[in-house]
Amino acid sequence: MIVESQLDVSNAVRRDQVPAGDYYMEIVKKGQTVRILDLEGNQAADTLFYNANDPAERYSAIDTIREQGNVYLSSGTKILSDQSNVMLEIVADTCGRHDTLGGACATESNTVRYAIEKKCMHACRDSWLLAVAENEQYGMSKRDITHNINFFMNVPITTEGGLTFEDGISAPGKYVELKAAMDVIVLISNCPQLNNPCNAYNPTPVEVIVWDE
Ligand SMILES: [Zn+2]
């Protein structure tokens, strides 16, 4: 559902531009609001959330889908952890629908889906692994990389229950905004995928904006 934000960017406490193929790994405190802004449109922001005080507690697609009774994420969605605690709530969304079924790209899946010579191409899973390696303060490792949310990505379910990767429904300037219900680590891989239409074959930067309330 489309809900526009009432927040003013000039009041933000933090703004970061994340190039395609790069990552964002920061703590968003309880009560703060974080916006992911699709600057040029049709970009996929592959996102993981962790309890900042205990990263063993993390985003759960299963619990989130079951509790809201819908496979798509949008305004009103409560992002639940694997302990069924509310981590964040989507409070504004001008895109209207986000995927949590399609998973993230990896060099292995690129090889299986596209071609053996895609093995060396940059992938979201590598960006996450680089993020946890470069941010030792969180005490995380490869085993902490689990299933994710693909903000702005369009993975419609067919009437037969199949999944398809389709051209995005996002556009330049569309955003999703989440209010944190606990201190969370936000880990985003701004997807570098060039082989499917999730980025319109042209990965572009996103901006991450944080407000104190
Ligand atoms: Zn990706």
Side-chain angles (χ1 to χ4, degrees):
M1 191 173 68
I2 303 295
V3 174
E4 295 203 4
S5 173
Q6 303 303 312
L7 293 171
D8 184 343
V9 173
S10 64
N11 296 327
V13 293
R14 190 182 168 98
R15 296 180 69 171
D16 294 281
Q17 221 180 87
V18 186
D22 208 346
Y23 71 81
Y24 175 92
M25 190 177 198
E26 297 291 339
I27 290 177
V28 172
K29 293 276 195 185
K30 179 180 180 178
Q32 287 187 321
T33 299
V34 58
R35 176 187 297 180
I36 306 170
L37 171 61
D38 189 359
L39 288 166
E40 298 184 33
N42 272 3
Q43 183 57 17
D46 293 45
T47 304
L48 296 160
F49 295 113
Y50 302 86
N51 178 343
N53 300 306
D54 176 16
E57 181 178 13
R58 73 279 306 272
Y59 169 66
S60 168
I62 298 162
D63 293 284
T64 300
I65 290 169
R66 185 195 63 237
E67 285 305 305
Q68 71 171 8
N70 196 301
V71 295
Y72 302 126
L73 310 187
S74 186
S75 49
T77 292
K78 291 183 169 62
I79 305 292
L80 296 188
S81 74
D82 57 352
Q83 296 176 31
S84 285
N85 294 314
V86 178
M87 306 186 80
L88 312 98
E89 180 173 351
I90 300 179
V91 292
D93 179 17
T94 61
C95 178
R97 193 168 84 192
H98 307 270
D99 166 69
T100 192
L101 298 174
C105 61
T107 56
E108 293 84 353
S109 63
N110 282 344
T111 305
V112 171
R113 282 182 182 145
Y114 308 113
I116 192 77
E117 63 266 25
K118 307 293 186 186
K119 173 78 177 168
C120 57
M121 289 181 76
H122 195 154
C124 281
R125 188 171 168 79
D126 288 345
S127 293
W128 287 333
L129 292 174
L130 180 65
V132 298
E134 288 185 339
N135 290 272
E136 293 177 349
Q137 69 273 24
Y138 300 121
M140 290 162 59
S141 69
K142 189 175 186 178
R143 69 194 296 250
D144 294 297
I145 303 303
T146 59
H147 55 235
N148 67 298
I149 298 170
N150 295 305
F151 286 114
F152 309 114
M153 188 162 144
N154 188 23
V155 185
I157 295 175
T158 68
T159 50
E160 292 75 33
L163 295 178
T164 53
F165 289 82
E166 299 291 340
D167 193 10
I169 52 175
S170 189
K174 300 236 177 192
Y175 58 81
V176 60
E177 212 167 85
L178 305 102
K179 189 175 174 89
M182 63 169 70
D183 296 348
V184 290
I185 301 166
V186 178
L187 174 53
I188 300 170
S189 163
N190 190 16
C191 185
Q193 180 59 258
L194 285 163
N195 301 293
N196 79 45
C198 70
N199 301 326
Y201 303 99
N202 175 33
T204 50
V206 297
E207 186 173 357
V208 182
I209 308 170
V210 178
W211 287 263
D212 268 343
E213 57 178 316

